[in-house]
Amino acid sequence: MEIMKLIPTGKDYLWGGTRLRDEYDKKIDLTPLAETWECSVHPDGPSCVANGTYKEKTLEEVLKIHPEYIGTKVKNGKLPVLVKFIDAKKDLSVQVHPDDVYAQEHESDNGKTEMWYVINADEGAHLIYGFQHKVTEEILRKAVETGTLDKHLQKVEVHKGDTYFVPAGTVHGIGKGILVAEIQESSNVTYRVYDYDRVDRNGKKRELHFDKAVQVMDMNIAPDVSQKPRIVKYYSGCSRELLCRCKYFETERIQVTKGFTFSVMDTSFQVLMCLNGYGEVQTMDAEQKPMCFRKGETLFLPAGLGRCFIVGETELLKIRC
């Protein structure tokens, strides 16, 4: 059983920038480089293995050979999460994602509940999260047609270290100048409500999906998105902080100054996403060499790997189901 370093798939969406290549050393020849799908078995952007027995295989291929690597908590044998870096040089579209029931019936895909951890944000950067007041389909249709949707949307100023949980059905949009780590259901279903009348490299406006969007969105007053105090647990050489726990995934922020010990049980895989610094993961298996990692790299730890120890100076997101 081996720790796998992952090679992501890149996406060149028109709103992206160059930070993932410039600051995170992503060797992906795309401009812009809007997203990297770090840990993914989705057919629209699979990640591959960079090392060991399964080098150059996709993660999906490995998990078909070893479904036990996902863990006993997952009943359908499919990796339930997709983990990304997102660089928004420009505003993303105003959009919404369906829940599982709607997506499986209409798109043959999962729904998309997600969370964002803000790695960095320009001063004054904001995101869209829900509506300022209750709206109707008629109000929204007119607003999209007249370019006045903005007055109905709740805008939230964001800062480095903020966390946002975005349940399926929440109208949202990441604003320009924000770099985030996104943890989501394994899905690629997005319904665009409004795209600022932009055109792609071929001079065509991107497709909107208003009719589907209004079937799945929550049109009630905006939810509270104020940053609640989070509990940070301090240990000798590290700290850990629970960012989000939902039915699909659990995400912790781990700050390592010397060392961090944890266990990967047979109930769930774990994903380590390095936001800053460097380190290595050691296991109890004497035959397995320590796995080194650095800023921008993502590791997949198979369920049942056992006791692990991280040494180094690093900031990580640790994800499991």
Side-chain angles (χ1 to χ4, degrees), residues 169-240:
T170 306
V171 170
H172 63 275
I174 299 172
K176 64 181 179 180
I178 302 175
L179 181 69
V180 305
E182 178 175 286
I183 295 88
Q184 57 161 90
E185 289 182 75
S186 181
S187 171
N188 194 29
V189 182
T190 296
Y191 297 147
R192 294 191 199 97
V193 180
Y194 184 65
D195 198 36
Y196 306 100
D197 294 323
R198 292 181 291 199
V199 296
D200 62 20
R201 65 189 61 185
N202 299 315
K204 295 183 178 180
K205 291 183 179 180
R206 296 197 297 174
E207 182 183 4
L208 300 181
H209 315 93
F210 184 86
D211 291 336
K212 286 185 175 180
V214 293
Q215 294 182 56
V216 303
M217 72 172 61
D218 182 353
M219 299 188 190
N220 293 311
I221 193 166
D224 178 15
V225 291
S226 59
Q227 294 293 301
K228 307 295 189 297
R230 299 197 295 258
I231 297 174
V232 182
K233 295 182 178 179
Y234 295 95
Y235 305 90
S236 177
C238 68
S239 65
R240 60 193 305 177

Side-chain angles (χ1 to χ4, degrees), residues 9 11 121 130 147 160 242 304:
T9 292
K11 299 292 181 179
K160 180 179 179 179
L242 180 64

